[in-house]
Amino acid sequence: KCAYARSDPRMSLQMFRALRENTLALLKRLAPQVWQQAFGVHEKRGRQTVSDFLQMEAAHDLNHILQIQRALALAAEKR
């Protein structure tokens, strides 16, 4: 288990931000056609282009943001 509850939220946010900035810098260097042409093959989902993967990751991040918002709201209610 990752023990997220024992992690420092500020450090986690710094790590998330640094990783996302690094990823964005890499993506900005890619030619637009690479987003559609370059691909990997996922064990369960099959062929995924860079564009496919990024769309999935964006949705995944939004899901986590909603989870954080719900957890914060619940914590505020308990106070």
Side-chain angles (χ1 to χ4, degrees):
K1 294 191 175 186
C2 293
Y4 291 121
R6 293 191 305 259
S7 298
D8 178 349
R10 287 180 182 89
M11 287 188 68
S12 295
L13 182 58
Q14 283 180 329
M15 175 76 72
F16 178 83
R17 183 174 286 134
L19 291 170
R20 283 300 183 264
E21 286 173 359
N22 187 33
T23 300
L24 287 171
L26 169 72
L27 293 170
K28 286 178 182 179
R29 292 191 303 265
L30 293 179
Q33 65 268 25
V34 172
W35 286 50
Q36 297 302 323
Q37 294 172 352
F39 68 92
V41 180
H42 188 274
E43 180 179 293
K44 294 180 182 173
R45 291 185 291 274
R47 185 180 190 269
Q48 284 187 286
T49 64
V50 172
S51 182
D52 295 334
F53 179 75
L54 291 175
Q55 288 176 18
M56 185 185 66
E57 283 301 298
H60 186 82
D61 284 355
L62 289 174
N63 180 52
H64 283 296
I65 289 168
L66 293 173
Q67 287 175 334
I68 291 166
Q69 289 173 336
R70 285 192 298 269
L72 290 172
L74 190 61
E77 287 175 13
K78 290 182 179 181
R79 283 188 231 147

